[in-house]
Amino acid sequence: MKIIQLTDTHLVEPGARLYGMDPCDRVRQLVTHICEHQADADLLVITGDIANDGNLDAYRQLREVLSPLPMPCRLLLGNHDRRDTFLEAFPESPVDENGFVQSVQDLENPSLRLLFLDSQAPGVIGGIYCADRLRWLHTRLQERPDVPVVVFLHHPPVPHGMRHFKHIGFHDGESVMTLLRAHPGGVRHIIFGHIHVPLSGVTSDGIPFSAGRGSNHQFIPGFDDPTPFWTSAPLNYSIITLNEEGVFVHGYDMIECEGIVRARNCLGP
Ligand SMILES: [Fe+2]
């Protein structure tokens, strides 16, 4: 199973710019690259903050931009998104019984359950995972207790070391982690966005996680600074491979290069 992750695309209404850039054009370039180099991927996931202001036309434009992709897409909500306008543009997106944009996908070989969570709450920058969503997650975990899970969502439910997000992190992320930690099958990986910095790590009790950097803008490192600087991000995506050997997250930055030289086939020693 190969999954492409984009995150924090922050699309604005057609023709507008954000921090001097055209977020939609950047996603269009990424889609072109993915079609050319990652057409064998099984799924593309955007881990939230799809649109900067939840603008309906931005979501409609994304629909057209994603249309050349040969693989299905799973779109998750972040704090910048609006559930109602998103679902108006993407009515086929799977939702749970309470209307949250949450779903599962089961894999065989390796046997895994992918969980796509909705941590968005209107008017709140940080993540919220209410009692209804917790019930949904609990049920999904109980359905296949011995199957390991891989979790996708916008807000990090784990420590990430960035001061800027101290008050706008995942407000009740610990309730999610409590359920995940108790899952007999274990948690193979948690994949998120929100922090606009590429990150990989592991919790003190051994749950691995990673974050994409965002396709439009990223933070200049200043991890103890409550007001760090934004700057443009290189066009980028992550390639997540799930197989019998484990879970692998490769990153790719589309940086203009002076030249391209094919690597030698190194046969050792
Ligand atoms: Fe964001």
Side-chain angles (χ1 to χ4, degrees), residues 7-10 48-49 52 79-80 154 193-196 217 230:
T7 195
D8 294 80
T9 50
H10 284 265
D49 279 3
N52 196 54
N79 47 286
H80 280 264
H154 180 68
H194 192 49
I195 61 172
H196 288 256
H217 49 286
W230 292 110

Side-chain angles (χ1 to χ4, degrees), residues 98 100 128-138 172 175:
N98 295 302
F100 294 108
I128 296 288
Y129 209 71
C130 59
D132 286 339
R133 282 175 270 195
L134 279 173
R135 248 189 313 277
W136 178 90
L137 177 59
H138 187 238
D172 48 2
S175 58

Side-chain angles (χ1 to χ4, degrees), residues 46-90:
I46 303 182
T47 43
D49 279 3
I50 295 169
N52 196 54
D53 304 301
N55 182 278
L56 176 59
D57 288 335
Y59 291 129
R60 285 180 171 150
Q61 193 174 36
L62 178 66
R63 202 180 174 87
E64 174 258 313
V65 168
L66 296 179
S67 62
L69 288 169
M71 73 287 291
C73 298
R74 199 72 71 125
L75 309 179
L76 309 183
L77 299 185
N79 47 286
H80 280 264
D81 291 303
R82 272 183 54 174
R83 196 171 287 106
D84 55 349
T85 47
F86 168 77
L87 287 171
E88 194 173 337
F90 292 95

Side-chain angles (χ1 to χ4, degrees), residues 25-174:
D25 180 61
R26 294 170 71 85
V27 176
R28 201 184 298 277
Q29 291 181 61
L30 286 164
V31 165
T32 299
H33 195 276
I34 291 164
C35 286
E36 188 174 349
H37 299 280
Q38 312 294 345
D40 61 337
D42 302 288
L43 182 69
L44 182 137
V45 178
I46 303 182
T47 43
D49 279 3
I50 295 169
N52 196 54
D53 304 301
N55 182 278
L56 176 59
D57 288 335
Y59 291 129
R60 285 180 171 150
Q61 193 174 36
L62 178 66
R63 202 180 174 87
E64 174 258 313
V65 168
L66 296 179
S67 62
L69 288 169
M71 73 287 291
C73 298
R74 199 72 71 125
L75 309 179
L76 309 183
L77 299 185
N79 47 286
H80 280 264
D81 291 303
R82 272 183 54 174
R83 196 171 287 106
D84 55 349
T85 47
F86 168 77
L87 287 171
E88 194 173 337
F90 292 95
E92 75 281 17
S93 284
V95 295
D96 71 10
E97 63 271 23
N98 295 302
F100 294 108
V101 184
Q102 316 201 98
S103 56
V104 297
Q105 183 172 343
D106 289 320
L107 309 184
E108 308 298 332
N109 302 319
S111 182
L112 287 173
R113 171 161 271 204
L114 309 184
L115 292 164
F116 303 95
L117 308 188
D118 180 342
S119 56
Q120 195 266 359
V124 182
I125 302 174
I128 296 288
Y129 209 71
C130 59
D132 286 339
R133 282 175 270 195
L134 279 173
R135 248 189 313 277
W136 178 90
L137 177 59
H138 187 238
T139 303
R140 299 291 86 75
L141 292 169
Q142 281 193 324
E143 284 171 347
R144 303 189 72 190
D146 298 325
V147 175
V149 295
V150 176
V151 182
F152 295 82
L153 76 174
H154 180 68
H155 295 88
V158 294
H160 47 72
M162 293 190 63
R163 171 67 179 80
H164 176 75
F165 294 93
K166 181 176 180 182
H167 304 295
I168 53 169
F170 201 152
H171 295 303
D172 48 2
E174 194 49 38

